[in-house]
Amino acid sequence: MTQSGELDLEVKGGGTSKKTLIILISTIVMLVVAIAVGVVLFLTGALTPKAATGEAAANPKAPQHPAIYHSLDPAFVVNFYRQSQQQVRFLQVKMEAMARDSEIIEAIKTHTPAIRNNLLLLLSHQDYETIHTVEGKGQLREAARDEINQVLEDQAGIKGVEAVYFTSFIMQ
């Protein structure tokens, strides 16, 4: 120790080799820590590129292109029977279809009459008690998407509508 209370690491007669040894050990320790961190990141998947692991291929819902929306205008207006009160009810729905390929949107435009026909039939066969709930509306959205995809597959040999969204939903 020096007089000021600091530790003197230099040993007389071989100070340079001790400093070199300390630097070498420190370097080895840092290298081992860096390798350990790299191994942990690799094993947890944080360091693995998505293309190399096939994550993009394994997740088909990963967006490849931006969403394209097409409004199915005019609004659908149907009447249906409310069985619990034995009365006729009315439903007005505005919908938009979403796809990621402009070819799908063009096919929707081309086959709008068949799509509207199937959607009108679907909407008119709904039960008030079912579509009054959030879950019922979600099921109806999925059924509408399936109807559109079925028409596109039958008429154009393609399907690719990912979702149908209600932009207005009025029941009376």
Side-chain angles (χ1 to χ4, degrees):
M1 279 201 162
T2 60
Q3 291 180 352
S4 64
E6 294 177 7
L7 183 62
D8 187 11
L9 293 178
E10 189 172 324
V11 177
K12 297 194 186 228
T16 355
S17 64
K18 292 268 186 183
K19 286 182 182 179
T20 306
L21 184 62
I22 291 173
I23 291 172
L24 182 62
I25 290 174
S26 299
T27 304
I28 291 173
V29 168
M30 289 190 316
L31 185 61
V32 168
V33 169
I35 290 172
V37 168
V39 167
V40 168
L41 289 175
F42 179 78
L43 291 177
T44 59
L47 194 60
T48 308
K50 288 185 180 185
T53 61
E55 236 176 89
N59 187 2
K61 293 191 178 201
Q64 310 251 334
H65 299 286
I68 305 169
Y69 297 93
H70 177 69
S71 182
L72 300 169
D73 287 331
F76 294 88
V77 180
V78 296
N79 57 341
F80 58 96
Y81 190 69
R82 184 173 181 187
Q83 293 190 7
S84 65
Q85 295 179 355
Q86 296 185 350
Q87 62 184 183
V88 176
R89 307 295 283 181
F90 294 94
L91 174 66
Q92 177 183 326
V93 179
K94 288 185 182 179
M95 292 186 223
E96 292 205 20
M98 190 273 286
R100 297 190 184 277
D101 187 351
S102 59
E103 180 182 346
I104 303 297
I105 300 299
E106 289 304 315
I108 291 171
K109 291 176 185 176
T110 301
H111 300 290
T112 294
I115 290 170
R116 288 189 64 81
N117 175 69
N118 288 15
L119 290 176
L120 281 169
L121 293 174
L122 173 70
L123 292 170
S124 66
H125 283 94
Q126 296 304 305
D127 178 50
Y128 177 84
E129 302 304 327
T130 303
I131 62 172
H132 187 66
T133 65
V134 174
E135 294 83 15
K137 289 178 179 82
Q139 291 170 354
L140 182 58
R141 284 181 49 235
E142 290 176 15
R145 180 200 61 215
D146 293 344
E147 283 292 332
I148 295 170
N149 278 326
Q150 187 62 51
V151 169
L152 293 179
E153 188 172 21
D154 292 346
Q155 300 294 323
I158 59 173
K159 61 182 179 178
V161 173
E162 289 183 29
V164 170
Y165 298 103
F166 297 139
T167 56
S168 175
F169 198 96
I170 301 169
M171 290 192 309
Q172 9 173 281

